[in-house]
Amino acid sequence: MKLITYNFLTSKILRGVKVGYPLKINIVQKEIKSAEYNAEFITRMIPRLDWSGVCFGAEQVGCGGDIPKEFNDTITSDTEILQKLHHILLEIDIIEGNLQCPETGRIFPISNGIPNMLLTEDEL
């Protein structure tokens, strides 16, 4: 699971959960997989991302100091930050582990890089 995917995941659908974001990441196995850098793609993704969620995810994978904690307009023109963001979002791959709801503690497993966010009927 790449952090670009993680940024869009929430457990808000669980009964009684108000926000359900950001999910805590518990990593068992991660890999760094090189991906071709595309500044235009990263720049176009930034408005779609929840910046606090990106920062939280970056901390969870050990890259918390690589990007600014607060978003500002200069980020989209800073090549160094865009490259670091590219690495965090597209090159770090969580292979095994789990995601944890911040409100209920419900665990969602990550297996072979795929988060399983399926719910049981009593959780809806």
Side-chain angles (χ1 to χ4, degrees):
M1 177 191 76
K2 306 235 185 269
L3 287 188
I4 198 164
T5 301
Y6 162 79
N7 193 258
F8 298 103
L9 298 177
T10 178
S11 58
K12 189 175 181 174
I13 196 164
L14 284 170
R15 180 180 298 147
V17 173
K18 302 280 188 233
V19 178
Y21 182 84
L23 301 166
K24 182 179 179 203
I25 304 170
N26 300 303
I27 300 171
V28 174
Q29 179 187 358
K30 73 177 179 179
E31 293 179 1
I32 307 299
K33 297 181 178 179
S34 182
E36 185 177 338
Y37 175 67
N38 183 333
E40 182 180 353
F41 175 77
I42 294 298
T43 303
R44 287 184 179 198
M45 282 305 298
I46 288 175
R48 293 171 174 84
L49 300 172
D50 176 86
W51 193 258
S52 64
V54 170
C55 292
F56 185 76
E59 289 174 16
Q60 300 285 298
V61 298
C63 297
D66 291 352
I67 56 173
K69 299 286 184 222
E70 299 292 325
F71 179 79
N72 62 61
D73 292 332
T74 62
I75 289 173
T76 58
S77 60
D78 187 324
T79 302
E80 184 178 340
I81 292 175
L82 290 176
Q83 288 174 338
K84 289 177 180 181
L85 193 55
H86 162 83
H87 172 72
I88 292 166
L89 294 175
L90 299 172
E91 294 186 331
I92 297 174
D93 200 1
I94 301 167
I95 306 299
E96 300 292 332
N98 62 60
L99 301 169
Q100 184 175 9
C101 173
E103 296 175 46
T104 65
R106 164 70 151 84
I107 302 291
F108 300 95
I110 301 169
S111 181
N112 294 319
I114 301 169
N116 181 348
M117 302 291 291
L118 295 175
L119 304 176
T120 62
E121 282 192 37
D122 60 317
E123 292 176 309
L124 298 172

